[in-house]
Structures are given as C-alpha cells and as structure tokens.
C-alpha cells in the first residue's frame, strides 16, 4: 500500500515539474519573439515583420503602416523597450486563452495621451508567432512634436 502512495506522490511531483518547465519554455519563446519584433521594427524589416505576425498578408498594408510608424518613432521608444523587463500576462481579451505583452509609451513633458503597444500570443499558433498587434492611442498626434 505504501508503494502506491509513494508512486502517486512521485507522479504528482513529476507532473508539477513538467508544467513549470513548459511554462518557462513558453515564456522564453515569447521573450525571443518579442525581441525579434523590436529588431524588425528598428531595422524597418518588412519581410520579417510580416512573418512574425499571424495573418499579416491579409492585412498587409495595415501591418506595414504599424511597422513604419513604430520605426519612425523607434528612437523615442527604444529606451522604454530596452529598460523594461518583458512581462507576460494571461488574458481572454480577444477570445480564448492568450498571453499578452504590453508596452506603454509616455512622452515626457507632454499632454499627449500615452501610446500602448500590445502583442498577443496564442499557444495553438506557437509562441514564435504574434497572434495580434494592437496599437492604441492617437498615433498621428503622438508622433508630432509639441511646441
């Protein structure tokens, strides 16, 4: 009887260990994908940007507009993306269980609303692809220099 008890405990511990290891692997893959995203933005690399985002061919021009906008403003947002540790959050915002990485860019000494860039990931697509990119805020107004 004790053998069954020890085997049960061992199986539970192994399953917990596997879950923790899988979560770390998932987060590592998301971190790598986010880093690739910002490298493609910095380099204005249209081809690799579109490869990173699921379904981007359907919305090619909208995706490229986002890329070029982020690239034009990269010098303003670079310090924020490099200084922040990537925080991965669980969300159901777009339906289904997803992971999300969000950046909030605030212009110093400005009355312009902050700009939010959110990257969504679905496990079913693999964490090496971005499911959706949302840029929230008044993009043209955020880009302008204030007097």
């Amino acid at each position: 009887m004790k053998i069954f008890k020890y085997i049960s405990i061992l199986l539970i511990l192994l399953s917990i260990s596997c879950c923790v290891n899988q979560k770390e692997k998932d987060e590592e893959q998301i971190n790598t994908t986010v880093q690739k995203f910002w490298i493609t933005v910095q380099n204005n690399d249209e081809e690799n940007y579109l490869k990173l985002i699921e379904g981007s061919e359907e919305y090619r021009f909208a995706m490229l507009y986002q890329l070029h906008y982020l690239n034009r403003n990269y010098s303003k947002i670079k310090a924020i993306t490099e200084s922040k540790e990537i925080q991965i959050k669980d969300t159901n915002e777009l339906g289904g269980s997803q992971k999300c990485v969000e950046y909030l860019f605030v212009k110093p000494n400005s009355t312009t609303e902050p700009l939010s860039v959110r990257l969504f990931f679905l496990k079913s697509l693999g964490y090496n692809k971005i499911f959706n990119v949302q840029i929230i805020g008044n993009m043209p107004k955020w880009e302008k220099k204030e007097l």
Side-chain angles (χ1 to χ4, degrees):
M1 215 47 177
K2 286 187 176 187
I3 292 174
F4 290 120
K5 186 176 180 180
Y6 290 127
I7 291 174
S8 298
I9 292 172
L10 182 62
L11 288 174
I12 291 171
L13 291 174
L14 284 173
S15 66
I16 291 171
S17 174
C18 288
C19 290
V20 170
N21 287 340
Q22 186 60 46
K23 183 178 178 182
E24 288 175 359
K25 287 178 186 176
D26 291 347
E27 289 182 359
E28 186 177 317
Q29 192 171 25
I30 290 172
N31 281 326
T32 301
T33 305
V34 170
Q35 290 170 354
K36 286 179 183 178
F37 174 83
W38 288 114
I39 289 169
T40 61
V41 167
Q42 179 183 13
N43 297 330
N44 208 21
D45 184 349
E46 292 180 359
E47 182 180 340
N48 285 320
Y49 185 83
L50 293 173
K51 285 180 184 177
L52 277 175
I53 302 170
E54 180 66 25
S56 61
E57 288 302 318
E58 246 180 273
Y59 304 103
R60 180 180 177 83
F61 295 114
M63 295 289 112
L64 292 178
Y65 175 75
Q66 287 179 346
L67 168 65
H68 297 306
Y69 174 80
L70 291 171
N71 175 263
R72 281 192 310 272
N73 291 285
Y74 188 75
S75 62
K76 297 174 197 168
I77 63 179
K78 180 181 177 186
I80 294 170
T81 58
E82 289 180 346
S83 67
K84 275 191 171 180
E85 183 178 317
I86 296 173
Q87 293 193 359
I88 302 167
K89 300 176 187 173
D90 291 320
T91 183
N92 293 331
E93 189 172 323
L94 300 175
S97 180
Q98 303 148 23
K99 304 278 186 189
C100 177
V101 174
E102 181 175 17
Y103 293 92
L104 190 62
F105 303 107
V106 180
K107 286 175 78 173
N109 304 321
S110 173
T111 58
T112 303
E113 66 182 285
L115 186 70
S116 170
V117 176
R118 298 190 310 170
L119 309 174
F120 291 90
F121 297 86
L122 280 176
K123 184 165 184 84
S124 60
L125 293 176
Y127 292 132
N128 61 337
K129 279 243 187 226
I130 298 170
F131 166 64
N132 192 354
V133 177
Q134 286 185 346
I135 300 178
I136 301 173
N138 189 336
M139 290 167 50
K141 188 173 181 181
W142 195 85
E143 189 170 34
K144 289 182 183 176
K145 292 182 180 178
E146 296 199 7
L147 302 175

